[in-house]
């Protein structure tokens, strides 16, 4: 039998220290999120934990298939290390903030730092990887336009790449 370290490497080194991808404050935030989602406090997030988390957020009728699909995204039981690895993999594919900002700036010809929400909605639903009506609603729920219907895309880009709003 190969030594423990060699075995891990041979298996693809699944954990290849995911903790080094994040700074201490980010890891603490992920730990808090994990703890909130682990409703039954068994150290794992399962279908029932997800159902309870959705219920706590006001979404009561989540389909079983939807919950199963979420759990199946993980390579196995979702403990904190797996949870962190999944976020690391999702974030790894995220474009740098500058790239996302540049994409919005194309629509902000006057350089004001915002674009009309209706205009962005139309572009998102008709161009390239089209958004559904539901995806647009989710985006505007998370990043509501101001009273004039403007979307602050700089803040949106910051949150996409950093996970939190600027102070």
């Amino acid at each position: 039998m190969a030594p423990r370290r060699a075995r891990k490497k041979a298996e693809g080194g699944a954990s290849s220290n995911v903790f080094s991808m994040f700074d201490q404050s980010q890891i603490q935030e992920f730990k808090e999120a994990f703890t909130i989602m682990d409703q039954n406090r068994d150290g794992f997030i399962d279908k029932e934990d997800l159902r309870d988390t959705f219920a706590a957020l006001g979404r009561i009728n989540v389909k079983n298939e939807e919950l199963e699909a979420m759990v199946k995204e993980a390579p196995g039981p979702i403990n904190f290390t797996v949870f962190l690895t999944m976020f690391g993999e999702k974030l790894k594919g995220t474009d740098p903030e500058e790239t996302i900002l540049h994409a919005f700036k194309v629509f902000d010809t006057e350089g004001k730092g915002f674009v009309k929400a209706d205009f962005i909605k139309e572009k998102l639903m008709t161009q390239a990887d089209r958004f559904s009506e539901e995806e647009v609603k989710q985006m505007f729920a998370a990043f509501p336009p101001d009273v004039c219907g403007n979307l602050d895309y700089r803040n949106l880009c910051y949150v996409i790449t950093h996970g939190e709003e600027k102070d």
Side-chain angles (χ1 to χ4, degrees):
M1 186 131 207
R4 185 170 155 75
R5 187 172 287 146
R7 261 199 331 264
K8 187 100 170 143
K9 194 145 190 109
E11 293 165 2
S15 75
S16 68
N17 204 0
V18 66
F19 291 89
S20 66
M21 288 180 61
F22 303 102
D23 64 39
Q24 229 18 70
S25 66
Q26 289 173 310
I27 291 171
Q28 188 56 43
E29 287 176 23
F30 281 121
K31 186 66 179 166
E32 288 169 19
F34 180 86
T35 303
I36 290 168
M37 293 175 73
D38 181 17
Q39 297 273 316
N40 64 7
R41 304 288 182 255
D42 66 354
F44 295 91
I45 295 175
D46 59 20
K47 223 166 54 171
E48 290 310 310
D49 289 326
L50 290 175
R51 185 182 308 285
D52 293 344
T53 301
F54 274 116
L57 295 170
R59 188 163 167 224
I60 300 168
N61 298 321
V62 183
K63 291 188 175 102
N64 224 17
E65 301 79 38
E66 196 176 347
L67 297 171
E68 285 171 11
M70 288 179 196
V71 172
K72 282 181 185 165
E73 284 187 40
I78 306 171
N79 62 16
F80 180 64
T81 305
V82 171
F83 181 79
L84 198 58
T85 302
M86 290 171 73
F87 270 96
E89 287 169 357
K90 295 270 187 214
L91 293 174
K92 202 166 41 183
T94 304
D95 291 317
E97 185 176 6
E98 261 321 296
T99 304
I100 299 168
L101 264 174
H102 183 72
F104 276 102
K105 284 179 183 175
V106 168
F107 300 115
D108 181 16
T109 54
E110 296 174 25
K112 293 181 177 178
F114 57 83
V115 291
K116 287 290 180 192
D118 290 342
F119 177 74
I120 284 300
K121 176 182 177 179
E122 189 244 320
K123 292 298 175 199
L124 289 172
M125 293 180 70
T126 61
Q127 310 293 316
D129 293 333
R130 293 182 174 96
F131 276 47
S132 68
E133 184 76 34
E134 185 58 33
E135 289 169 323
V136 171
K137 277 184 191 165
Q138 287 173 358
M139 184 184 82
F140 285 145
F143 303 99
D146 66 17
V147 293
C148 299
N150 296 317
L151 179 67
D152 175 359
Y153 66 81
R154 288 188 177 130
N155 189 43
L156 172 64
C157 294
Y158 186 86
V159 173
I160 288 170
T161 56
H162 295 84
E164 61 200 40
E165 290 196 34
K166 288 183 182 180
D167 292 332

